[in-house]
């Protein structure tokens, strides 16, 4: 995980039963694969990865590009770099008995070219300035390139230029989180400060107490009328190569990121010769090995075909039942992957048209076929310590259809580095998502199955124009980023009812059109300060359909049109104190958009005119510091946010459904991250974070928020050890403290949570074996959502433990 940057790169601007469906042959194959892997571990000595075996090199001084070609031919390493940026650079060569990595260091000595490993045999190169105190390539160490993000900016930007808190997780960081491979959101909470998660099976999360914009390749996947809807669970974690997190109010890409944004990015092409990677994995739980074995398979291919660089990947998972620490089955849900078949595919293409122009495409598709085996019975009791029991789901099989989820996201981008001196990016996008939920009881004895679909289509146009008339003075390098966005979002839903129930239940349909313009100024001052500021103005029109919301919610609802507009501002200052330390402060605004899908559940809401539709601003103030030294990286931030009409949710009595209530709200908190590498073999670190807040009731009383909205004090820590170059181990712990009740809001407190995970990876034969153990000590920890709502139906049906010990293993071979 990378939290901060080195200044050399920050100044670079461009840069029917499921077991009947699975054949005995598959089980035989899986068992055979386990034995084969065990045999490999016993009989095969781990092969040295690229860069560990010394051989004789005799590469004379020559242009760097040709020297790299010679090194590639001798070692099989592949290099990805911008040929124009490295043109004209000479290499001193490499001579003698050297490891491939030492040979590369020799070739780059004195060239101001740094590198990082994209995989075991693929290396990215980039030109960078010399930085005082930074170890050069000749020093024999890998220099990590500074992280670049597009989540908090319209163009790729070094994180150190952003006056905000950001977390970037590369593929190695993600693989080291065993829980991330099952539950992407809950896994992120182990390493990202400010995450508040309250559910064990797919977490409806908040950042800094507010709603999160979840995205895939920077295209939002939230349901627009349910700001943190369950689209976030369409995330097969192994499909993503990078996750970018903006912690705090953000309006870069529009309404709905009042707490921040999480962007899941599929892998990008690696130019050059064709590379293939095959990954086979298994997951089991010791509490019930036979019923928990879940195999997976993934295949990727990347390379270049003429001017086209490409990445193609597909994956498949067969997920069995999840069990708690006592070996009891956990209930299936729409926000988890147990008892499902998952198929996903992603593709990325990039084609250079000339020196300035390029076209890029991304495609992401996932299909999850669910056949639930166990459903929750609402007889749990938090106070008595009786966990929610389960029952076989066969009683639904003759009434309801099978559950499934499907999602596609595609983008097409045209980029030009010089259009009348400006660089331009025009991106069109399309999203189509369908969900048929697992049948569930909402009001006894009403059981329904909801099918919903949303489609999103739009275009984003961005331009970055240098303010060249300011060059040569104090403001050298100033630029203005500006552009327009358009989006159409359509939401449709229908219900399947148990025919034994003689009444109905309606769900609203809606269509939204939004248009926005923005402008953002970047103003360097004396190369030691960076001032940023801008505005985004968005106009939105929504057409809501009528529905009969009986018997659960109030009766008939009359639809109609509504519209709102909002101007959102931001301003920030970054002070580059030294080459290693940065101070920053910022003011940012985002929109608290009403949860329109759930507003009609309130008895007083009978038509569109009864809805408080105005979009409210969240104002956030933040001050922080970050530093990056040779063996220490650290960051700290404090924040305060306020909103006059924040979305809060109240669970309707006798149901598991919540309706939005808008109230003034204030939230504040702090976050600290530290990573230390005391030696080349050891690393330690962790995070400290919390948030707290108040809200104003209708009678004017100011009361404390509960853990439903804020994050109790959480500590995370890890120890990482690489005893040999081919072996990496990581032990990590996450502890969340208890939280008090909020009696005025009718919400209870929560008990503390502790999890310990273990991860190990090492080279075996021609590939890499990765082993993860989630919940190492098989602790029983309960769903905080049920604890908070213990006096209602939600507490009875959701008092579910987190999964018990889960062991996963995956073998990945590149060829």
């Amino acid at each position: 995980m990378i939290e901060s940057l080195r200044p050399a790169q920050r100044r670079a601007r461009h840069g029917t039963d499921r077991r009947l469906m699975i054949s005995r042959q598959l089980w035989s194959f899986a068992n055979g694969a386990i034995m084969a892997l065990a045999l490999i571990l016993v009989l095969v000595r781990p092969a040295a990865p690229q860069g560990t075996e010394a051989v004789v090199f005799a590469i004379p001084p020559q242009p760097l590009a040709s020297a790299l070609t010679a090194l590639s031919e001798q070692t099989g390493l592949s290099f990805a770099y911008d040929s124009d940026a490295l043109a004209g650079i000479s290499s001193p060569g490499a001579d003698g008995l050297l490891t491939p990595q030492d040979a590369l260091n020799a070739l780059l000595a004195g060239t101001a070219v740094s590198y990082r490993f994209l995989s075991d045999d693929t290396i990215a190169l980039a030109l960078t300035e010399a930085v005082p105190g930074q170890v050069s390539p000749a020093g024999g160490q890998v220099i990590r390139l500074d992280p670049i993000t597009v989540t908090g900016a319209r163009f790729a930007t070094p994180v150190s230029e952003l006056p905000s808190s950001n977390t970037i997780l590369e593929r190695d960081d993600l693989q080291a989180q065993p829980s991330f491979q099952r539950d992407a959101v809950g896994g992120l909470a182990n390493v990202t400060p400010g995450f508040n998660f309250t559910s064990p099976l797919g977490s409806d999360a908040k950042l800094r107490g507010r709603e999160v914009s979840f995205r895939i390749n920077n295209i939002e996947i939230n349901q627009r009328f349910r700001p943190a809807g369950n689209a976030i669970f369409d995330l097969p974690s192994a499909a993503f190569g990078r996750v970018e997190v903006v912690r705090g109010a953000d309006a870069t890409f529009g309404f709905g990121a009042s707490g921040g944004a999480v962007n899941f990015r599929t892998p990008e092409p690696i130019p050059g010769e064709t590379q293939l990677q095959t990954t086979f994995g298994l997951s089991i739980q010791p509490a019930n090995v036979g019923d928990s074995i879940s195999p997976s398979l993934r295949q990727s291919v990347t390379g270049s075909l003429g001017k086209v660089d490409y990445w193609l990947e597909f994956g498949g998972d067969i997920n069995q039942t999840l069990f708690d620490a006592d070996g009891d089955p956990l209930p299936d849900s729409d926000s988890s992957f147990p008892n499902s078949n998952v198929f996903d595919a992603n593709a990325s293409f990039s084609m250079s048209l000339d020196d300035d122009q390029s076209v890029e495409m991304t495609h992401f598709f996932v299909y999850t076929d669910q056949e639930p085996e166990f459903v929750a019975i609402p007889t749990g009791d938090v106070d008595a310590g009786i966990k929610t029991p389960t029952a076989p789901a066969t009683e639904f099989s003759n009434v309801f259809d099978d559950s499934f989820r499907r999602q596609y996201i595609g983008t097409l981008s045209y980029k030009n580095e010089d259009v009348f001196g400006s660089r331009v990016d025009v991106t069109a996008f399309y999203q189509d998502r369908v969900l048929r939920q697992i049948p569930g009881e909402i009001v006894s004895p009403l059981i329904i199955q909801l099918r919903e679909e949303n489609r999103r289509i739009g275009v984003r146009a961005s331009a970055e124009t240098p303010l060249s008339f300011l060059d040569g003075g104090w403001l050298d390098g100033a630029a203005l980023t500006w552009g327009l966005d358009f989006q159409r979002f359509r939401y449709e839903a229908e219900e399947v009812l148990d025919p034994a129930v003689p009444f109905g239940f309606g769900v609203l349909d809606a269509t939204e059109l939004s248009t926005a313009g923005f402008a953002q100024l970047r103003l360097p001052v004396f190369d030691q300060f960076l001032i940023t500021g801008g505005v985004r103005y968005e106009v939105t029109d929504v057409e809501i359909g009528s529905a009969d919301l009986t018997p659960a919610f109030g009766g008939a609802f009359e639809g109609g049109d509504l519209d709102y507009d909002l101007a959102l501002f931001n301003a920030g200052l970054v002070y580059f104190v030294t080459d290693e330390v940065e101070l920053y402060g910022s003011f940012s605004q985002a929109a608290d958009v009403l949860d329109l899908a759930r507003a009609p559940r309130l008895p007083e809401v009978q038509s569109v005119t009864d809805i408080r539709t105005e979009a409210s601003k969240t104002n956030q103030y933040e001050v922080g510091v970050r530093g990056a030294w040779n063996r220490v990286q650290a960051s700290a931030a404090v924040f305060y946010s306020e909103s006059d009409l924040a979305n809060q949710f109240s669970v309707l009595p006798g149901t598991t459904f919540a309706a939005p209530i808008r109230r003034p709200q204030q939230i504040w908190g702090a976050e600290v991250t530290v990573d230390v590498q005391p030696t080349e073999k050891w690393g330690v670190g962790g995070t400290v974070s919390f948030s707290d807040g108040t809200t104003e009731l209708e009678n004017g009383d100011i009361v404390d928020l509960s853990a439903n909205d804020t994050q109790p004090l959480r500590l995370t820590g890890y120890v990482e050890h690489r005893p040999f170059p081919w072996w990496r181990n990581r032990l990590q712990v996450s502890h969340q403290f208890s939280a008090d009740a909020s009696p005025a809001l009718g919400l209870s407190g929560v008990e503390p949570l502790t999890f310990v995970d273990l991860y190990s990876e090492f080279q075996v034969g021609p590939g890499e074996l990765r082993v993860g153990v989630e919940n190492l000590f098989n602790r029983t920890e309960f769903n905080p959502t049920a604890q908070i709502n213990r006096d209602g139906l939600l507490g009875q049906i959701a008092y579910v433990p987190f999964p018990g010990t889960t062991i996963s293993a995956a073998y990945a071979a590149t060829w």
Side-chain angles (χ1 to χ4, degrees):
M1 178 176 64
I2 307 171
E3 281 287 344
S4 58
L5 295 175
R6 297 189 182 274
Q9 283 74 38
R10 76 183 177 215
R11 300 188 183 112
R13 292 293 302 131
H14 300 287
T16 1
D17 190 310
R18 291 195 35 74
R19 284 179 284 273
L20 295 179
M21 297 178 57
I22 303 171
S23 67
R24 297 181 181 273
Q25 288 82 0
L26 178 58
W27 291 118
S28 299
F29 171 72
N31 291 328
I34 296 173
M35 297 182 64
L37 283 176
L39 188 61
I40 290 174
L41 289 173
V42 173
L43 300 179
V44 179
R45 181 175 179 262
Q50 298 281 6
T52 61
E53 292 182 344
V55 296
V56 175
F57 291 90
I59 303 176
Q62 58 187 293
L64 179 58
S66 59
L68 292 171
T69 299
L71 182 60
S72 177
E73 291 174 349
Q74 187 169 351
T75 64
L77 292 170
S78 297
F79 298 98
Y81 59 89
D82 185 337
S83 58
D84 292 336
L86 271 59
I89 298 178
S90 297
S91 169
D95 186 42
L97 185 64
L98 303 168
T99 68
Q101 185 172 321
D102 288 339
L104 176 60
N105 290 331
L107 294 183
L108 299 180
T111 65
V113 175
S114 61
Y115 66 91
R116 67 185 175 103
F117 282 88
L118 298 174
S119 65
D120 291 337
D121 54 6
T122 302
I123 301 170
L125 304 169
L127 185 63
T128 182
E129 302 172 15
V131 180
Q134 179 173 308
V135 180
S136 68
Q141 292 187 17
V142 173
I143 296 176
R144 173 182 287 176
L145 295 183
D146 292 338
I148 302 296
T149 179
V150 296
T151 304
R154 300 292 292 211
F155 289 94
T157 303
V159 171
S160 63
E161 288 194 357
L162 301 175
S164 59
S165 296
N166 299 265
T167 299
I168 294 183
L169 301 166
E170 303 288 359
R171 173 158 283 193
D172 283 350
D173 302 310
L174 301 175
Q175 290 173 347
Q177 300 302 317
S179 57
F180 180 82
Q181 307 310 314
R182 176 186 54 80
D183 172 13
V185 178
L188 285 175
N190 289 333
V191 291
T192 306
F195 248 106
N196 182 29
F197 71 106
T198 57
S199 171
L201 300 176
S203 303
D204 189 355
K206 293 183 178 181
L207 264 172
R208 293 184 172 179
R210 301 192 185 275
E211 303 295 349
V212 187
S213 172
F214 288 94
R215 306 168 186 166
I216 295 176
N217 294 331
N218 244 346
I219 306 303
E220 190 174 42
I221 62 174
N222 298 55
Q223 296 178 31
R224 192 68 164 170
F225 307 110
R226 298 178 63 182
N230 54 24
I232 63 175
F233 309 123
D234 300 343
L235 296 173
S237 304
F240 302 103
R242 198 170 199 247
V243 178
E244 301 171 350
V245 183
V246 176
R247 311 198 304 270
D250 180 76
T252 305
F253 293 98
F255 288 179
S258 57
V262 180
N263 183 25
F264 296 85
R265 297 180 60 182
T266 54
E268 298 179 354
I270 300 175
E273 296 295 325
T274 300
Q275 296 182 56
L276 299 96
Q277 186 175 79
T278 304
T279 304
F280 175 75
L282 283 175
S283 174
I284 64 171
Q285 291 190 271
N288 191 324
V289 174
D291 289 337
S292 67
I293 295 179
S294 302
S296 63
L297 181 66
R298 182 164 295 274
Q299 177 68 58
S300 67
V301 56
T302 186
S304 299
L305 189 62
K307 292 185 177 182
V308 178
D309 301 326
Y310 61 89
W311 175 283
L312 302 171
E313 182 177 17
F314 66 87
D317 302 83
I318 300 174
N319 298 306
Q320 298 302 297
T321 301
L322 274 174
F323 297 88
D324 62 19
D326 298 324
D328 296 324
L330 297 175
D332 297 297
S333 73
D334 295 303
S335 55
S336 61
F337 288 100
N339 296 306
S340 65
N341 298 316
V342 183
F343 172 79
D344 69 89
N346 66 81
S348 179
F349 304 94
S350 177
M351 181 175 65
S352 177
L353 303 179
D354 57 29
D355 291 343
D356 295 323
Q357 302 180 85
S358 63
V359 176
E360 298 179 2
M361 287 192 300
T362 67
H363 304 271
F364 173 81
F365 174 82
V366 60
Y367 182 88
T368 303
D369 174 33
Q370 294 183 282
E371 287 196 21
E373 291 197 3
F374 300 96
V375 296
I377 304 300
T379 57
D381 190 323
V382 177
D383 294 324
I386 301 173
K387 64 186 177 184
T388 300
T390 62
T394 52
E395 60 182 281
F396 296 143
S397 60
N398 295 326
V399 177
F400 299 102
D401 296 325
D402 292 340
S403 304
F404 75 92
R405 300 200 295 271
R406 183 190 73 227
Q407 182 157 203
Y408 168 79
I409 296 174
T411 68
L412 174 62
S413 300
Y414 168 76
K415 299 182 179 182
N416 194 318
E417 295 296 317
D418 188 4
V419 178
F420 301 109
S422 300
R423 61 171 173 165
V424 173
D425 184 335
V426 180
T427 298
F429 57 88
Y430 176 74
Q431 180 208 18
D432 188 357
R433 176 180 180 270
V434 180
L435 165 67
R436 186 160 60 207
Q437 294 182 342
I438 294 174
E441 182 177 85
I442 59 167
V443 179
S444 181
L446 177 60
I447 298 175
I448 70 166
Q449 181 178 45
L450 178 67
R451 183 190 187 278
E452 58 184 14
E453 179 173 1
N454 60 254
R455 294 180 299 276
R456 187 188 323 253
I457 187 169
V459 61
R460 297 171 178 165
S462 307
E464 184 183 69
T465 303
L467 303 180
S468 54
F469 62 90
L470 297 176
D471 288 349
W474 299 350
L475 306 178
D476 191 22
L480 180 69
T481 302
W482 54 280
L484 293 169
D485 295 343
F486 170 79
Q487 176 177 273
R488 181 185 188 273
F489 180 87
R490 174 65 178 167
Y491 176 83
E492 299 174 341
E494 63 182 7
E495 313 81 38
V496 177
L497 296 171
D498 188 329
V501 180
F503 39 68
F505 174 82
V507 178
L508 305 177
D509 294 343
T511 302
E512 176 196 80
L513 294 175
S514 62
T515 305
F518 69 92
Q520 185 77 14
L521 180 66
R522 176 186 181 272
L523 204 63
V525 181
F526 295 122
D527 199 33
Q528 197 162 8
F529 297 91
L530 179 62
I531 300 173
T532 59
V535 61
R536 177 185 177 92
Y537 180 70
E538 185 161 338
V539 178
T540 298
D541 177 80
V542 183
E543 179 183 350
I544 302 178
S546 299
D548 184 4
L549 303 179
T550 57
F553 315 119
F557 172 82
E558 183 180 352
D561 292 334
L562 58 89
D563 59 77
Y564 46 85
D565 62 275
L566 201 63
L568 302 170
F569 297 88
N570 71 87
L573 172 66
V574 180
Y575 170 34
F576 304 113
V577 183
T578 68
D579 288 329
E580 295 83 17
V581 179
E582 304 147 11
L583 294 173
Y584 67 89
S586 67
F587 165 77
S588 60
Q589 293 183 315
D592 275 322
V593 181
L594 178 64
D595 190 324
L596 294 175
R598 289 183 275 197
R601 296 174 180 175
L602 296 170
E604 63 269 23
V605 176
Q606 298 177 359
S607 72
V608 167
T609 57
D610 298 326
I611 301 177
R612 301 181 67 182
T613 59
E614 62 268 41
S616 173
K617 295 179 181 179
T618 292
N619 300 316
Q620 178 184 268
Y621 307 84
E622 180 175 353
V623 177
V625 59
R626 52 194 172 220
W629 296 267
N630 186 31
R631 294 190 179 275
V632 179
Q633 304 83 45
S635 71
V638 294
F639 66 89
Y640 170 81
S641 68
E642 60 181 359
S643 175
D644 292 335
L645 289 174
N647 270 317
Q648 296 179 22
F649 292 94
S650 176
V651 178
L652 298 174
T655 79
T656 60
F657 282 87
I661 300 175
R662 310 193 80 181
R663 293 170 174 150
Q665 189 181 79
Q666 302 81 39
I667 297 177
W668 56 88
E671 301 161 357
V672 177
T673 71
V674 179
D675 296 276
V676 182
Q677 303 83 44
T679 71
E680 294 183 6
K681 294 184 177 182
W682 289 91
V684 296
T687 70
V688 181
S689 62
F690 83 96
S691 64
D692 205 349
T694 61
T695 189
E696 182 179 345
L697 302 181
E698 288 72 12
N699 61 6
D701 290 346
I702 305 298
V703 302
D704 291 334
L705 293 172
S706 74
N708 199 50
D709 293 294
T710 59
Q711 181 210 301
L713 177 64
R714 181 186 298 131
L715 308 178
T716 73
Y718 72 88
V719 176
E720 189 164 295
H721 184 216
R722 293 180 180 264
F724 306 102
W726 47 267
W727 188 7
R728 171 192 177 198
N729 301 286
R730 180 184 176 102
L731 180 68
Q732 66 180 34
V733 60
S734 172
H735 178 76
Q736 181 171 289
F737 287 77
S738 62
D740 294 335
S742 181
L745 298 177
L747 300 175
S748 302
V750 296
E751 299 298 321
L753 291 170
T754 303
F755 298 105
V756 180
D757 299 337
L758 178 65
Y759 175 78
S760 184
E761 66 177 34
F762 41 92
Q763 299 295 317
V764 177
E768 180 182 73
L769 180 65
R770 301 188 292 265
V771 180
V773 184
E774 177 188 359
N775 194 356
L776 181 63
F777 298 115
N778 202 36
R779 291 177 57 91
T780 298
E781 302 284 3
F782 281 94
N783 187 343
T785 297
Q787 298 181 57
I788 295 169
N789 298 278
R790 65 182 64 201
D791 294 329
L793 180 61
L794 184 56
Q796 296 172 347
I797 202 169
Y799 193 46
V800 177
F802 286 78
T805 298
T806 306
I807 303 172
S808 59
Y811 184 73
T814 302
W815 45 287

